[in-house]
Amino acid sequence: MDSLITAAASALAAGDPLRALNCVALREDAPALALRGIAMAQLGDLPQAQHLLKRAARVFGPKQPLAHARCVVAQAEIAFVSRELGWPVKELASAQVTLKQNGDALNAVHACHLQARRSLLLGQLDDAERLLGTVDPAPLPPIRRAAHEMILAGIAMQRLRTVPAREALARAREAAHLSRVPALKAEVAAAAQRLETPVARHIIGDHERLILLSDVEVLLASGTLVVDACRRVVRRGKVVIPLASRAVLFALARALAGAWPNDVCRTDLLRAAFQAKRVDESHRARLRVEIGRLRQLLRPLADVQATPQGFALRPRNDVAVNVLAWPVEEEHGAVLAFLADGEAWSSSALALALGISQRTVQRSLDVLAEEGKVQWFGRARARRWTASSVPGFTTIMLLPTLLPGG
């Protein structure tokens, strides 16, 4: 390896892509192409970075497996930053094995962290924890140790465990300080800010307020009945009743919980569940059927009692009824919340993360674009979507993961 390649690699490790480009910008050999690709990625030109890394990997080929594997890892990182969650993970796992076999333990750890970050983004928390369990962070350099702790913090936040999340972020902050990389310090600070940003609205009776993740953790541990409109479940303690696939039943539960301790008239229930503008006898008959189904599902937690005007929710043991709702009431709020992280997403990546079809996501994006809430750039498969203005809330409550005890 010549002196210019060594100098460029050192500059990239220190987070100085411009100095790296000064060394290799005019060179076309494979190591220079790879380093140029990493530099362009650090500067934010991700398409050009992918192009350069693909060229480098092609030149290295199977005769230089270690260099080829490093290019694959770099391509994977760019793909995940670009929210291309459909990027072939098996190729990344194969590259990790190659790196281990050839003694490049540090880049093998980096490949493992990338797989864990992808699992975390998709809400596959058990997979992310399993991958991190294979890594000992103690001997890692500060940059890699900070990345490790950031993933641990993300897992803890999605599991609604704020104390372990804060501890992991404190370790990440310390490692980022030791790394002396400004971009890494900013990333850790942004992650810590998520704990201070509202994740939901807490509604109880006529009172409503925005709450933090720590408040959600306390609420769920309080033993009260919670109708969670972010994850579409009804729960109390460790008893969780999922209603994500039962849209009508959840709409009824949400309406009854919002009115507690009062009842809800039948007309309002019909509008909430069926969007009925004109109510006839067939609607009333269907309402009775759906209320019966809801009563059966909620039996362990509450009863749905008939009143002269309509129906009322009566929890067991006379506990309070709480509603957790999105910070912004929006028909396509789940899609908008994912875009609120400020990153550019593809429609296929949003579909993977939300667990719904790409066609449904595309319809939501088209509606949001017409309303001026999102914007796009690129064409065809390269099209990416971002929020036009990032609202002040995080996406933790909207990720498709199970609640504690669920």
Side-chain angles (χ1 to χ4, degrees):
M1 187 179 297
D2 61 53
S3 59
L4 287 177
I5 294 294
T6 303
S10 299
L12 291 174
D16 190 351
L18 294 178
R19 183 157 61 91
L21 286 175
N22 282 337
C23 299
V24 296
L26 300 179
R27 294 177 54 165
E28 293 292 325
D29 53 299
L33 288 172
L35 293 173
R36 283 168 57 193
I38 296 171
M40 296 306 293
Q42 290 187 6
L43 290 171
D45 191 347
L46 301 183
Q48 180 66 10
Q50 279 282 31
H51 173 68
L52 290 168
L53 286 165
K54 283 181 180 179
R55 285 179 59 192
R58 194 179 305 119
V59 174
F60 281 128
K63 293 183 179 180
Q64 295 178 275
L66 182 58
H68 183 272
R70 288 171 177 167
C71 289
V72 169
V73 172
Q75 289 180 69
E77 182 169 18
I78 293 171
F80 297 157
V81 168
S82 304
R83 297 301 190 261
E84 295 178 9
L85 303 183
W87 197 86
V89 184
K90 289 183 178 179
E91 192 173 345
L92 177 59
S94 177
Q96 182 185 357
V97 172
T98 301
L99 292 167
K100 278 185 178 180
Q101 292 174 345
N102 287 271
D104 190 351
L106 191 57
N107 277 314
V109 168
H110 184 41
C112 181
H113 282 161
L114 288 176
Q115 294 176 72
R117 285 169 60 187
R118 178 183 181 275
S119 297
L120 175 61
L121 196 59
L122 291 174
Q124 300 166 354
L125 304 188
D126 291 338
D127 290 343
E129 282 186 325
R130 176 182 55 79
L131 288 164
L132 288 187
T134 64
V135 177
D136 178 13
L140 296 178
I143 292 179
R144 294 267 55 85
R145 194 161 66 249
H148 187 91
E149 298 297 344
M150 288 273 286
I151 301 171
L152 283 177
I155 293 172
M157 284 191 282
Q158 286 197 33
R159 293 197 186 279
L160 304 183
R161 298 171 183 167
T162 54
V163 173
R166 292 184 190 279
E167 292 173 350
L169 286 170
R171 295 191 296 269
R173 190 180 300 111
E174 180 182 356
H177 178 73
L178 292 174
S179 74
R180 298 182 180 180
V181 178
L184 182 58
K185 294 179 183 179
E187 186 178 353
V188 174
Q193 184 60 34
R194 296 175 68 186
L195 290 172
E196 311 303 327
T197 305
V199 297
R201 282 181 299 129
H202 178 206
I203 304 168
I204 179 169
D206 295 329
H207 302 285
E208 176 180 322
R209 65 188 180 100
L210 290 172
I211 60 175
L212 306 178
L213 194 65
S214 56
D215 300 320
V216 175
E217 183 181 16
V218 171
L219 176 63
L220 296 182
S222 65
T224 59
L225 185 68
V226 179
V227 177
D228 188 346
C230 300
R231 294 176 175 172
R232 300 207 165 203
V233 300
V234 179
R235 67 166 293 152
R236 181 183 175 189
K238 294 185 178 181
V239 181
V240 181
I241 300 174
L243 295 175
S245 61
R246 312 288 292 274
V248 171
L249 297 186
F250 181 79
L252 292 172
R254 171 74 170 80
L256 292 169
W260 180 88
N262 301 317
D263 61 354
V264 183
C265 71
R266 290 171 175 80
T267 301
D268 289 344
L269 287 173
L270 287 168
R271 288 172 179 164
F274 311 124
Q275 289 80 46
K277 296 181 180 179
R278 292 186 177 182
V279 177
D280 56 28
E281 191 57 38
S282 66
H283 288 109
R284 296 189 180 92
R286 187 180 175 191
L287 177 63
R288 288 193 293 271
V289 172
E290 298 297 344
I291 286 290
R293 290 172 176 165
L294 181 64
R295 184 182 288 123
Q296 183 66 29
L297 281 174
L298 297 185
R299 191 177 300 278
L301 304 179
D303 186 24
V304 181
Q305 295 181 353
T307 66
Q309 289 76 31
F311 295 92
L313 188 63
R314 298 288 180 251
R316 309 290 181 197
N317 303 324
D318 295 326
V319 298
V321 177
N322 301 267
V323 176
L324 282 178
W326 295 334
V328 178
E329 202 68 58
E330 162 69 51
E331 181 182 359
H332 308 288
V335 173
L336 193 59
F338 269 90
L339 295 175
D341 67 356
E343 299 290 347
W345 287 73
S346 65
S347 58
S348 59
L350 284 169
L352 275 173
L354 287 165
I356 57 179
S357 72
Q358 188 172 346
R359 182 173 296 180
T360 300
V361 169
Q362 191 61 56
R363 282 198 293 264
S364 297
L365 290 170
D366 290 341
V367 172
L368 291 170
E370 289 179 3
E371 296 173 354
K373 296 177 180 177
V374 302
Q375 56 192 9
W376 57 268
F377 58 88
R379 295 186 179 277
R381 294 180 63 183
R383 176 166 294 187
R384 296 293 180 269
W385 297 83
T386 62
S388 297
S389 58
V390 179
F393 63 92
T394 64
T395 64
I396 295 169
M397 292 294 294
L398 301 174
L399 292 175
T401 59
L402 292 176
L403 292 167

